[in-house]
Coordinates of all heavy atoms in Angstrom, one line a residue:
M1 N -9.7 -8.5 -42.6 CA -9.1 -9.2 -41.5 C -9.8 -10.6 -41.3 O -11.0 -10.7 -41.4 CB -9.2 -8.5 -40.2 CG -7.9 -7.9 -39.7 SD -7.8 -7.5 -38.0 CE -8.8 -6.0 -37.9
K2 N -9.0 -11.6 -41.0 CA -9.6 -12.9 -40.7 C -10.2 -12.9 -39.3 O -9.8 -12.2 -38.4 CB -8.5 -14.0 -40.8 CG -8.0 -14.2 -42.2 CD -7.5 -15.7 -42.3 CE -6.6 -15.8 -43.5 NZ -5.2 -15.7 -43.2
K3 N -11.2 -13.8 -39.1 CA -11.8 -13.9 -37.8 C -10.8 -14.2 -36.7 O -10.9 -13.6 -35.6 CB -12.9 -15.0 -37.9 CG -13.8 -15.0 -36.7 CD -15.0 -16.0 -36.9 CE -15.7 -16.3 -35.6 NZ -16.4 -17.6 -35.7
R4 N -9.8 -15.0 -37.1 CA -8.8 -15.4 -36.1 C -8.0 -14.2 -35.6 O -7.7 -14.0 -34.5 CB -7.9 -16.5 -36.6 CG -7.2 -17.3 -35.5 CD -6.1 -18.2 -36.1 NE -5.2 -17.4 -36.8 CZ -4.3 -17.9 -37.7 NH1 -4.3 -19.2 -37.9 NH2 -3.5 -17.1 -38.4
D5 N -7.6 -13.3 -36.6 CA -6.9 -12.1 -36.3 C -7.7 -11.2 -35.3 O -7.1 -10.7 -34.4 CB -6.6 -11.3 -37.5 CG -5.7 -12.1 -38.5 OD1 -4.9 -13.0 -37.9 OD2 -5.7 -11.9 -39.7
I6 N -9.0 -11.1 -35.5 CA -9.8 -10.3 -34.7 C -9.8 -10.9 -33.3 O -9.7 -10.1 -32.3 CB -11.2 -10.2 -35.2 CG1 -11.2 -9.5 -36.6 CG2 -12.2 -9.5 -34.3 CD1 -12.5 -9.4 -37.3
L7 N -9.9 -12.2 -33.2 CA -9.9 -12.8 -31.8 C -8.6 -12.5 -31.1 O -8.6 -12.2 -29.9 CB -10.1 -14.3 -31.9 CG -11.6 -14.7 -32.3 CD1 -11.7 -16.2 -32.4 CD2 -12.5 -14.2 -31.2
V8 N -7.5 -12.6 -31.8 CA -6.2 -12.4 -31.2 C -6.1 -10.9 -30.7 O -5.7 -10.6 -29.6 CB -5.0 -12.6 -32.2 CG1 -3.7 -12.1 -31.7 CG2 -4.9 -14.1 -32.5
L9 N -6.6 -10.0 -31.6 CA -6.6 -8.6 -31.2 C -7.5 -8.4 -29.9 O -7.0 -7.7 -29.0 CB -7.2 -7.8 -32.4 CG -7.0 -6.3 -32.3 CD1 -5.6 -6.0 -32.5 CD2 -7.9 -5.6 -33.4
I10 N -8.6 -9.0 -29.9 CA -9.5 -8.8 -28.7 C -8.8 -9.4 -27.5 O -8.8 -8.8 -26.4 CB -10.9 -9.4 -28.9 CG1 -11.6 -8.7 -30.0 CG2 -11.7 -9.5 -27.6 CD1 -12.9 -9.3 -30.4
G11 N -8.2 -10.6 -27.6 CA -7.5 -11.2 -26.5 C -6.4 -10.3 -26.0 O -6.3 -10.1 -24.8
G12 N -5.7 -9.7 -26.9 CA -4.6 -8.7 -26.4 C -5.2 -7.5 -25.7 O -4.7 -7.1 -24.6
L13 N -6.3 -7.0 -26.2 CA -6.9 -5.9 -25.5 C -7.4 -6.2 -24.1 O -7.2 -5.4 -23.1 CB -8.1 -5.3 -26.3 CG -7.7 -4.5 -27.5 CD1 -9.0 -4.1 -28.3 CD2 -7.0 -3.3 -27.1
V14 N -7.9 -7.4 -24.0 CA -8.4 -7.9 -22.6 C -7.3 -7.9 -21.7 O -7.4 -7.4 -20.5 CB -9.1 -9.2 -22.8 CG1 -9.4 -9.8 -21.4 CG2 -10.5 -9.1 -23.5
I15 N -6.2 -8.5 -22.1 CA -5.0 -8.6 -21.2 C -4.5 -7.2 -20.8 O -4.2 -7.0 -19.7 CB -3.9 -9.4 -21.9 CG1 -4.3 -10.9 -22.0 CG2 -2.6 -9.3 -21.1 CD1 -3.4 -11.8 -22.9
L16 N -4.4 -6.3 -21.8 CA -4.0 -5.0 -21.5 C -4.9 -4.3 -20.5 O -4.4 -3.7 -19.5 CB -4.0 -4.1 -22.8 CG -2.7 -4.2 -23.6 CD1 -2.8 -3.3 -24.9 CD2 -1.5 -3.8 -22.8
T17 N -6.2 -4.5 -20.6 CA -7.1 -3.9 -19.7 C -6.9 -4.4 -18.3 O -6.9 -3.6 -17.3 CB -8.6 -4.2 -20.2 OG1 -8.7 -3.8 -21.5 CG2 -9.6 -3.3 -19.4
I18 N -6.7 -5.7 -18.2 CA -6.5 -6.3 -16.9 C -5.3 -5.7 -16.2 O -5.3 -5.4 -15.0 CB -6.5 -7.8 -16.9 CG1 -7.8 -8.4 -17.3 CG2 -6.0 -8.5 -15.6 CD1 -7.9 -9.8 -17.6
L19 N -4.2 -5.7 -17.0 CA -2.9 -5.1 -16.4 C -3.1 -3.7 -16.0 O -2.7 -3.3 -14.9 CB -1.8 -5.1 -17.5 CG -1.3 -6.5 -17.8 CD1 -0.2 -6.4 -18.9 CD2 -0.6 -7.1 -16.6
W20 N -3.9 -2.9 -16.8 CA -4.1 -1.5 -16.5 C -4.9 -1.3 -15.2 O -4.7 -0.4 -14.5 CB -4.8 -0.9 -17.7 CG -5.1 0.6 -17.5 CD1 -4.2 1.6 -17.5 CD2 -6.4 1.2 -17.2 NE1 -4.8 2.8 -17.3 CE2 -6.2 2.5 -17.1 CE3 -7.7 0.7 -17.1 CZ2 -7.2 3.4 -16.9 CZ3 -8.7 1.5 -16.9 CH2 -8.5 2.9 -16.8
M21 N -5.8 -2.3 -14.9 CA -6.7 -2.2 -13.7 C -6.0 -2.7 -12.5 O -6.6 -2.5 -11.4 CB -8.0 -2.9 -14.0 CG -8.9 -2.1 -14.9 SD -10.4 -3.0 -15.4 CE -10.6 -4.3 -14.2
A22 N -4.8 -3.3 -12.5 CA -4.2 -3.8 -11.4 C -4.1 -2.7 -10.3 O -3.9 -1.5 -10.6 CB -2.8 -4.4 -11.7
P23 N -4.0 -3.1 -9.0 CA -4.0 -2.1 -7.9 C -2.8 -1.2 -8.1 O -1.8 -1.6 -8.6 CB -3.9 -2.9 -6.7 CG -4.0 -4.4 -7.1 CD -4.1 -4.4 -8.5
D24 N -2.9 0.0 -7.5 CA -1.8 1.0 -7.6 C -0.6 0.5 -6.8 O -0.7 0.5 -5.6 CB -2.4 2.3 -7.0 CG -1.4 3.4 -7.2 OD1 -0.3 3.2 -7.8 OD2 -1.7 4.5 -6.7
E25 N 0.4 0.2 -7.5 CA 1.6 -0.3 -6.8 C 2.6 0.8 -6.4 O 3.7 0.5 -5.9 CB 2.3 -1.4 -7.6 CG 1.6 -2.7 -7.6 CD 1.5 -3.4 -6.3 OE1 2.4 -3.2 -5.5 OE2 0.5 -4.0 -6.0
T26 N 2.2 2.0 -6.7 CA 3.1 3.1 -6.4 C 3.0 3.6 -5.0 O 3.8 4.4 -4.6 CB 2.9 4.3 -7.4 OG1 1.6 4.7 -7.2 CG2 3.1 3.8 -8.8
T27 N 2.0 3.2 -4.3 CA 1.8 3.6 -2.9 C 3.0 3.3 -2.1 O 3.5 2.2 -2.2 CB 0.6 3.0 -2.3 OG1 -0.6 3.3 -3.1 CG2 0.3 3.5 -0.9
K28 N 3.5 4.2 -1.4 CA 4.8 4.0 -0.6 C 4.7 2.8 0.3 O 3.7 2.6 1.0 CB 5.1 5.3 0.1 CG 5.5 6.3 -0.8 CD 6.3 7.5 -0.1 CE 6.9 8.4 -1.2 NZ 6.5 9.8 -1.0
H29 N 5.8 2.1 0.3 CA 5.8 0.9 1.2 C 6.2 1.4 2.6 O 6.6 2.5 2.8 CB 6.9 -0.1 0.8 CG 6.5 -0.9 -0.4 ND1 7.1 -2.0 -0.8 CD2 5.5 -0.7 -1.3 CE1 6.5 -2.6 -1.8 NE2 5.5 -1.8 -2.1
L30 N 5.9 0.6 3.6 CA 6.3 0.8 5.0 C 7.8 0.9 4.9 O 8.5 0.0 4.5 CB 5.9 -0.3 5.9 CG 6.3 -0.2 7.3 CD1 5.6 1.0 8.0 CD2 5.9 -1.5 8.0
P31 N 8.4 2.1 5.3 CA 9.8 2.2 5.3 C 10.5 1.2 6.1 O 10.0 0.7 7.1 CB 10.1 3.6 5.9 CG 8.8 4.3 5.9 CD 7.7 3.2 6.0
K32 N 11.7 0.8 5.6 CA 12.5 -0.2 6.3 C 13.7 0.5 7.0 O 14.8 0.3 6.7 CB 13.0 -1.4 5.4 CG 13.1 -2.7 6.1 CD 13.3 -3.8 5.1 CE 13.2 -5.1 5.9 NZ 13.2 -6.3 4.9
D33 N 13.3 1.4 7.9 CA 14.4 2.2 8.5 C 14.3 1.9 10.0 O 13.5 1.1 10.5 CB 14.2 3.7 8.3 CG 12.8 4.2 8.6 OD1 12.1 3.5 9.4 OD2 12.5 5.3 8.1
T34 N 15.2 2.6 10.8 CA 15.2 2.2 12.2 C 13.9 2.5 12.9 O 13.5 1.7 13.8 CB 16.3 3.0 13.0 OG1 16.2 4.4 12.5 CG2 17.7 2.5 12.7
I35 N 13.2 3.5 12.5 CA 11.9 3.8 13.1 C 10.9 2.6 12.9 O 10.2 2.2 13.8 CB 11.2 5.1 12.6 CG1 12.2 6.3 12.8 CG2 9.9 5.3 13.2 CD1 11.7 7.5 12.1
H36 N 10.8 2.2 11.7 CA 9.8 1.2 11.3 C 10.2 -0.2 11.3 O 9.4 -1.1 11.2 CB 9.3 1.5 9.9 CG 8.7 2.9 9.8 ND1 9.4 4.0 9.5 CD2 7.4 3.4 10.0 CE1 8.6 5.1 9.5 NE2 7.4 4.7 9.8
Q37 N 11.5 -0.5 11.6 CA 12.0 -1.8 11.5 C 11.2 -2.7 12.5 O 10.9 -3.9 12.2 CB 13.5 -1.8 11.9 CG 14.2 -3.2 11.8 CD 14.3 -3.6 10.3 OE1 14.7 -2.8 9.5 NE2 13.8 -4.8 10.0
K38 N 10.9 -2.2 13.7 CA 10.3 -3.1 14.7 C 8.9 -3.5 14.3 O 8.4 -4.6 14.7 CB 10.2 -2.4 16.1 CG 9.4 -1.1 16.1 CD 9.3 -0.7 17.6 CE 8.6 0.7 17.8 NZ 9.4 1.8 17.5
F39 N 8.3 -2.7 13.4 CA 6.9 -3.2 12.9 C 7.0 -4.4 12.0 O 6.1 -5.1 11.9 CB 6.2 -2.0 12.3 CG 6.0 -0.8 13.2 CD1 6.6 0.4 13.0 CD2 5.2 -1.0 14.4 CE1 6.5 1.4 13.9 CE2 5.1 0.0 15.3 CZ 5.7 1.2 15.1
Y40 N 8.1 -4.5 11.3 CA 8.3 -5.7 10.5 C 8.3 -6.9 11.4 O 7.7 -7.9 11.1 CB 9.6 -5.6 9.7 CG 9.5 -4.7 8.4 CD1 9.6 -3.3 8.5 CD2 9.4 -5.3 7.2 CE1 9.5 -2.6 7.3 CE2 9.2 -4.6 6.0 CZ 9.3 -3.2 6.1 OH 9.1 -2.5 5.0
S41 N 9.0 -6.8 12.5 CA 9.0 -8.0 13.4 C 7.6 -8.2 14.0 O 7.2 -9.4 14.1 CB 10.0 -7.8 14.6 OG 11.0 -6.8 14.3
I42 N 6.9 -7.2 14.3 CA 5.6 -7.4 14.9 C 4.7 -8.0 13.9 O 4.0 -9.0 14.2 CB 5.0 -6.0 15.4 CG1 5.8 -5.4 16.5 CG2 3.5 -6.2 15.9 CD1 5.4 -4.1 17.0
V43 N 4.8 -7.5 12.6 CA 3.9 -8.1 11.6 C 4.2 -9.6 11.4 O 3.3 -10.5 11.4 CB 4.1 -7.4 10.2 CG1 3.4 -8.2 9.1 CG2 3.5 -6.0 10.3
H44 N 5.5 -9.9 11.4 CA 5.9 -11.3 11.2 C 5.5 -12.2 12.4 O 5.2 -13.4 12.2 CB 7.4 -11.4 10.9 CG 7.7 -10.9 9.5 ND1 8.8 -10.0 9.3 CD2 7.1 -11.0 8.3 CE1 8.8 -9.7 8.0 NE2 7.8 -10.2 7.4
K45 N 5.5 -11.6 13.6 CA 5.2 -12.4 14.8 C 3.7 -12.4 15.1 O 3.1 -13.5 15.3 CB 6.0 -11.8 16.0 CG 6.4 -12.8 17.0 CD 7.5 -12.3 17.9 CE 7.2 -12.4 19.3 NZ 6.6 -11.2 19.9
D46 N 3.1 -11.3 15.1 CA 1.7 -11.2 15.6 C 0.7 -10.7 14.5 O -0.5 -10.6 14.8 CB 1.6 -10.2 16.8 CG 2.5 -10.7 17.9 OD1 2.5 -11.9 18.2 OD2 3.1 -9.9 18.6
G47 N 1.2 -10.4 13.3 CA 0.2 -10.0 12.3 C 0.1 -8.6 12.1 O 0.6 -7.7 12.9
K48 N -0.5 -8.2 10.9 CA -0.6 -6.8 10.5 C -1.4 -5.9 11.5 O -1.0 -4.8 11.9 CB -1.2 -6.7 9.2 CG -0.4 -7.3 8.1 CD -1.0 -7.3 6.7 CE -0.2 -8.0 5.7 NZ -0.8 -8.2 4.5
K49 N -2.5 -6.5 12.0 CA -3.4 -5.7 12.9 C -2.6 -5.3 14.1 O -2.8 -4.2 14.6 CB -4.6 -6.6 13.3 CG -5.8 -6.3 12.4 CD -7.1 -6.8 13.0 CE -8.2 -6.6 12.1 NZ -9.2 -7.7 12.2
A50 N -1.8 -6.2 14.7 CA -1.1 -5.9 15.9 C -0.1 -4.7 15.6 O 0.0 -3.8 16.5 CB -0.3 -7.1 16.3
A51 N 0.5 -4.6 14.5 CA 1.4 -3.5 14.2 C 0.7 -2.3 13.9 O 1.2 -1.2 14.3 CB 2.3 -3.9 13.0
E52 N -0.4 -2.3 13.2 CA -1.1 -1.1 12.9 C -1.6 -0.3 14.1 O -1.9 0.9 13.9 CB -2.3 -1.5 12.0 CG -1.9 -1.8 10.5 CD -3.0 -2.6 9.8 OE1 -4.0 -3.1 10.4 OE2 -2.9 -2.7 8.6
K53 N -1.8 -0.9 15.2 CA -2.2 -0.2 16.4 C -1.3 0.9 16.7 O -1.7 1.9 17.3 CB -2.2 -1.2 17.6 CG -3.4 -2.0 17.7 CD -3.7 -2.6 19.1 CE -2.6 -3.5 19.6 NZ -2.8 -4.9 19.6
F54 N 0.0 0.8 16.4 CA 1.0 1.8 16.8 C 1.2 3.0 15.8 O 1.7 4.0 16.1 CB 2.4 1.2 17.0 CG 2.3 0.1 18.0 CD1 2.3 -1.2 17.6 CD2 2.3 0.4 19.4 CE1 2.2 -2.3 18.5 CE2 2.2 -0.7 20.3 CZ 2.2 -2.0 19.9
C55 N 0.8 2.8 14.5 CA 1.1 3.8 13.5 C 0.7 5.2 13.9 O 1.4 6.1 13.7 CB 0.4 3.4 12.2 SG 0.7 1.7 11.7
Q56 N -0.6 5.3 14.4 CA -1.1 6.6 14.7 C -0.5 7.3 16.0 O -0.9 8.4 16.3 CB -2.6 6.6 14.6 CG -3.1 6.2 13.2 CD -4.5 6.5 13.0 OE1 -5.0 7.6 13.2 NE2 -5.2 5.5 12.4
D57 N 0.3 6.5 16.7 CA 1.1 7.2 17.8 C 1.9 8.4 17.2 O 2.1 9.4 17.9 CB 2.0 6.2 18.5 CG 1.3 5.2 19.3 OD1 0.1 5.3 19.4 OD2 1.9 4.2 19.8
C58 N 2.4 8.2 16.0 CA 3.2 9.2 15.4 C 2.5 9.9 14.2 O 2.5 11.1 14.0 CB 4.5 8.7 14.8 SG 5.5 7.9 16.1
H59 N 1.9 9.0 13.4 CA 1.2 9.6 12.2 C -0.2 10.0 12.6 O -1.2 9.3 12.5 CB 1.1 8.5 11.1 CG 2.4 8.1 10.6 ND1 3.1 8.8 9.7 CD2 3.2 7.0 10.9 CE1 4.2 8.2 9.4 NE2 4.4 7.1 10.1
N60 N -0.3 11.2 13.1 CA -1.6 11.8 13.5 C -1.6 13.3 13.2 O -0.5 13.9 12.9 CB -1.8 11.5 15.0 CG -0.7 12.0 15.9 OD1 -0.3 13.2 15.8 ND2 -0.3 11.2 16.7
K61 N -2.7 13.9 13.3 CA -2.9 15.3 13.0 C -1.9 16.2 13.6 O -1.4 17.1 13.0 CB -4.3 15.8 13.4 CG -5.3 15.7 12.2 CD -6.3 16.8 12.2 CE -7.1 17.0 13.5 NZ -8.2 16.1 13.8
E62 N -1.6 16.0 14.9 CA -0.7 16.9 15.7 C 0.7 16.8 15.2 O 1.4 17.7 15.0 CB -0.8 16.6 17.2 CG -2.2 17.1 17.8 CD -3.3 16.1 17.4 OE1 -3.1 14.9 17.4 OE2 -4.4 16.6 17.1
Q63 N 1.2 15.5 15.1 CA 2.7 15.3 14.9 C 3.1 15.2 13.5 O 4.0 15.9 13.0 CB 3.1 14.0 15.6 CG 2.9 14.1 17.1 CD 3.4 12.8 17.8 OE1 4.5 12.3 17.5 NE2 2.5 12.1 18.5
M64 N 2.4 14.4 12.7 CA 2.7 14.2 11.3 C 1.5 14.1 10.5 O 1.0 13.0 10.2 CB 3.5 12.9 11.1 CG 4.8 12.8 11.9 SD 5.7 11.3 11.6 CE 5.9 11.4 9.8
P65 N 0.9 15.2 10.1 CA -0.4 15.2 9.4 C -0.2 14.3 8.1 O 0.8 14.3 7.5 CB -0.6 16.6 9.0 CG 0.3 17.4 9.8 CD 1.4 16.5 10.2
F66 N -1.3 13.7 7.8 CA -1.4 12.9 6.5 C -1.5 13.9 5.3 O -2.0 15.0 5.5 CB -2.6 12.0 6.5 CG -2.4 10.8 7.5 CD1 -2.8 11.0 8.8 CD2 -1.8 9.7 7.1 CE1 -2.7 10.0 9.7 CE2 -1.7 8.6 8.1 CZ -2.1 8.8 9.4
P67 N -1.1 13.5 4.1 CA -1.4 14.3 3.0 C -2.9 14.6 2.9 O -3.7 13.7 3.3 CB -0.9 13.5 1.8 CG -0.1 12.4 2.3 CD -0.5 12.2 3.8
E68 N -3.3 15.7 2.4 CA -4.7 16.2 2.4 C -5.6 15.2 1.7 O -6.7 14.9 2.1 CB -4.8 17.5 1.8 CG -5.9 18.3 2.4 CD -5.6 19.8 2.2 OE1 -5.0 20.4 3.1 OE2 -6.0 20.4 1.2
N69 N -5.1 14.6 0.6 CA -6.0 13.6 -0.1 C -5.8 12.2 0.3 O -6.0 11.3 -0.4 CB -5.6 13.8 -1.6 CG -4.1 13.5 -1.9 OD1 -3.3 13.4 -1.0 ND2 -3.8 13.5 -3.2
H70 N -5.3 12.0 1.5 CA -5.1 10.6 2.0 C -6.4 9.8 2.1 O -7.4 10.3 2.6 CB -4.4 10.6 3.3 CG -3.8 9.3 3.7 ND1 -4.6 8.2 4.2 CD2 -2.6 8.8 3.6 CE1 -3.9 7.2 4.4 NE2 -2.6 7.5 4.0
P71 N -6.4 8.6 1.5 CA -7.6 7.8 1.6 C -8.0 7.4 3.0 O -7.1 7.6 3.9 CB -7.3 6.6 0.7 CG -5.8 6.6 0.6 CD -5.3 7.9 0.8
P72 N -9.1 6.8 3.3 CA -9.5 6.4 4.6 C -8.4 5.5 5.2 O -7.9 4.6 4.5 CB -10.8 5.6 4.4 CG -11.3 6.1 3.1 CD -10.2 6.6 2.3
K73 N -8.1 5.6 6.5 CA -6.9 5.0 7.0 C -7.2 3.8 7.8 O -6.4 3.4 8.7 CB -6.2 6.0 8.0 CG -5.9 7.3 7.3 CD -5.2 8.3 8.2 CE -6.1 9.2 9.0 NZ -6.8 10.1 8.2
F74 N -8.2 3.0 7.5 CA -8.6 1.9 8.3 C -7.4 0.9 8.5 O -7.2 0.5 9.7 CB -9.8 1.2 7.8 CG -9.7 0.9 6.3 CD1 -9.6 -0.4 5.8 CD2 -9.8 1.9 5.4 CE1 -9.5 -0.6 4.5 CE2 -9.7 1.7 4.0 CZ -9.5 0.4 3.5
R75 N -6.7 0.4 7.5 CA -5.7 -0.6 7.7 C -4.4 -0.1 7.0 O -4.2 -0.4 5.8 CB -6.1 -1.9 7.1 CG -7.4 -2.5 7.7 CD -7.1 -3.1 9.1 NE -5.9 -4.0 9.1 CZ -6.0 -5.3 8.9 NH1 -7.1 -5.9 8.5 NH2 -4.9 -6.0 8.9
C76 N -3.5 0.5 7.7 CA -2.3 1.1 7.1 C -1.6 0.1 6.2 O -1.2 0.4 5.1 CB -1.3 1.5 8.2 SG -2.1 2.4 9.5
I77 N -1.3 -1.1 6.7 CA -0.4 -2.0 6.0 C -1.1 -2.7 4.8 O -0.5 -3.3 4.0 CB 0.2 -3.0 7.0 CG1 1.0 -2.2 8.0 CG2 1.1 -4.1 6.4 CD1 1.6 -3.0 9.2
F78 N -2.4 -2.6 4.8 CA -3.1 -3.1 3.6 C -2.7 -2.3 2.3 O -2.5 -2.9 1.2 CB -4.7 -2.9 3.8 CG -5.5 -3.3 2.6 CD1 -5.6 -4.7 2.3 CD2 -6.1 -2.4 1.8 CE1 -6.4 -5.0 1.2 CE2 -6.9 -2.7 0.7 CZ -7.0 -4.1 0.4
C79 N -2.4 -1.0 2.5 CA -2.0 -0.2 1.4 C -0.5 0.0 1.4 O 0.2 -0.1 0.4 CB -2.7 1.1 1.4 SG -4.4 1.0 1.2
H80 N 0.1 0.3 2.5 CA 1.5 0.5 2.6 C 2.2 -0.8 2.9 O 2.4 -1.2 4.1 CB 1.8 1.6 3.7 CG 1.2 2.9 3.4 ND1 1.7 3.8 2.5 CD2 0.1 3.5 3.9 CE1 0.9 4.9 2.4 NE2 0.0 4.7 3.3
K81 N 2.5 -1.5 1.9 CA 2.9 -2.9 2.0 C 4.3 -2.9 2.6 O 5.1 -1.9 2.5 CB 2.9 -3.5 0.6 CG 1.5 -3.6 0.0 CD 1.4 -4.8 -0.9 CE -0.1 -5.2 -1.2 NZ -1.0 -4.2 -1.3
L82 N 4.7 -4.1 3.1 CA 6.0 -4.3 3.6 C 7.0 -4.5 2.4 O 6.5 -5.0 1.4 CB 6.1 -5.5 4.5 CG 5.2 -5.6 5.7 CD1 5.7 -6.7 6.6 CD2 5.1 -4.3 6.5
D83 N 8.2 -4.1 2.6 CA 9.2 -4.6 1.6 C 9.6 -6.0 1.9 O 10.7 -6.2 2.5 CB 10.4 -3.6 1.7 CG 10.2 -2.3 0.9 OD1 9.5 -2.4 -0.1 OD2 10.7 -1.3 1.4
N84 N 8.8 -6.9 1.6 CA 8.9 -8.4 1.9 C 9.3 -8.7 3.3 O 9.5 -7.9 4.2 CB 9.9 -9.1 0.9 CG 11.3 -8.6 1.1 OD1 11.9 -8.8 2.2 ND2 11.9 -8.1 0.1
Ligands
LIG1 C1 7.8 6.4 16.3 C2 7.0 7.2 15.3 C3 6.4 6.4 14.1 C4 5.6 5.3 14.2 C5 5.1 4.6 15.4 C6 5.3 5.0 12.8 N1 6.0 5.9 11.9 FE1 5.8 6.0 9.9 N2 7.1 7.6 9.9 C7 7.7 8.1 11.0 C8 8.6 9.2 10.5 C9 9.5 10.1 11.4 C10 8.6 9.2 9.1 C11 9.4 10.0 8.1 C12 10.8 9.5 8.0 C13 10.9 8.1 7.5 O1 10.6 7.8 6.3 O2 11.2 7.2 8.3 C14 7.6 8.1 8.7 C15 7.3 7.8 7.4 C16 6.3 6.9 7.0 C17 5.9 6.7 5.7 C18 6.3 7.5 4.4 C19 7.5 6.9 3.9 C20 8.0 7.7 2.7 O3 8.7 7.0 1.8 O4 7.7 8.9 2.5 C21 4.9 5.7 5.7 C22 4.2 5.1 4.5 C23 4.8 5.3 7.1 N3 5.7 6.1 7.9 C24 3.9 4.3 7.5 C25 3.9 3.9 8.8 C26 3.0 2.8 9.3 C27 2.1 2.0 8.3 C28 3.2 2.7 10.6 C29 2.6 1.6 11.5 C30 3.0 0.2 11.2 C31 4.1 3.7 11.0 N4 4.5 4.4 9.9 C32 4.5 3.9 12.3 C33 7.4 7.8 12.3 C34 6.7 6.8 12.7
LIG2 C1 -6.7 2.8 1.2 C2 -5.2 2.8 1.1 C3 -4.4 3.4 2.3 C4 -4.6 3.2 3.7 C5 -5.5 2.2 4.4 C6 -3.6 4.0 4.3 N1 -2.8 4.7 3.4 FE1 -1.4 6.1 3.7 N2 -1.3 6.7 1.8 C7 -2.1 6.0 0.8 C8 -1.9 6.8 -0.5 C9 -2.5 6.4 -1.8 C10 -1.0 7.8 -0.2 C11 -0.5 8.9 -1.2 C12 1.0 9.0 -1.4 C13 1.6 7.7 -1.7 O1 1.6 7.2 -2.8 O2 2.3 7.2 -0.8 C14 -0.6 7.7 1.2 C15 0.3 8.5 1.9 C16 0.7 8.3 3.2 C17 1.8 9.0 3.9 C18 2.7 10.1 3.3 C19 3.7 9.5 2.4 C20 4.5 10.5 1.8 O3 4.2 10.8 0.6 O4 5.4 11.1 2.4 C21 1.9 8.4 5.1 C22 3.0 8.8 6.2 C23 0.9 7.4 5.3 N3 0.2 7.4 4.1 C24 0.7 6.7 6.4 C25 -0.4 5.9 6.6 C26 -0.8 5.3 7.9 C27 0.0 5.5 9.2 C28 -1.9 4.6 7.7 C29 -2.8 3.9 8.8 C30 -3.2 4.7 9.9 C31 -2.3 4.7 6.3 N4 -1.3 5.5 5.7 C32 -3.3 4.1 5.7 C33 -2.9 5.0 0.9 C34 -3.4 4.4 2.1

């Protein structure tokens, strides 16, 4: 193999690795239904923190338990992104 071919190969591997390490985009988005619609307005008006205050009114141990392996819940909308 020529030196140039090896460099091209390494470059390709680096790009693949970066793509592979990108954040998990499969985490469910904040639903855009009648329940959650108002949080879209709050986020757009007052920011994510303002909206996140309300999530655990419903999403809590008593009413709607989280999946057992749910990660730490500090900022809901940091992970459960808006559908634009
Ligand atoms: C008034 C009660 C209520 C509040 C407040 C609420 N949710 Fe929900 N949430 C629900 C219900 C009911 C469901 C299940 C039905 C559905 O998908 O709408 C749900 C489902 C979800 C799901 C799963 C969607 C799926 O595809 O399975 C996510 C993620 C979620 N909520 C995030 C949030 C976040 C983040 C907030 C705060 C910004 C929030 N919810 C505030 C009631 C609520
Ligand atoms: C560090 C990232 C992170 C944060 C912060 C976070 N979540 Fe999650 N959440 C996840 C992951 C990963 C799952 C696993 C299932 C999935 O892919 O949606 C999940 C699952 C859920 C589900 C169940 C969805 C289903 O499968 O039906 C709900 C509801 C939910 N989260 C609500 C919340 C709420 C409300 C908050 C804030 C109090 C929150 N999450 C904060 C990452 C996060």
Side-chain angles (χ1 to χ4, degrees):
M1 253 202 287
K2 291 207 195 95
K3 193 170 163 204
R4 205 190 53 198
D5 296 334
I6 295 176
L7 285 178
V8 169
L9 192 71
I10 291 174
L13 284 176
V14 168
I15 290 171
L16 275 181
T17 311
I18 290 171
L19 286 178
W20 179 74
M21 281 172 23
D24 184 3
E25 284 298 328
T26 61
T27 302
K28 288 196 168 125
H29 285 196
L30 179 64
K32 207 167 191 174
D33 54 17
T34 43
I35 301 173
H36 299 86
Q37 189 67 52
K38 62 172 175 284
F39 299 115
Y40 279 81
S41 339
I42 297 178
V43 170
H44 290 134
K45 212 159 126 268
D46 299 320
K48 296 178 183 169
K49 266 196 182 144
E52 283 162 346
K53 279 201 299 254
F54 303 102
C55 307
Q56 297 194 48
D57 289 355
C58 302
H59 295 280
N60 56 50
K61 264 213 309 281
E62 289 74 38
Q63 298 179 52
M64 298 182 59
F66 292 89
E68 211 152 272
N69 55 352
H70 193 281
K73 304 185 268 295
F74 50 108
R75 298 288 310 273
C76 314
I77 297 174
F78 177 73
C79 297
H80 299 285
K81 298 209 161 39
L82 303 194
D83 279 327
N84 66 59

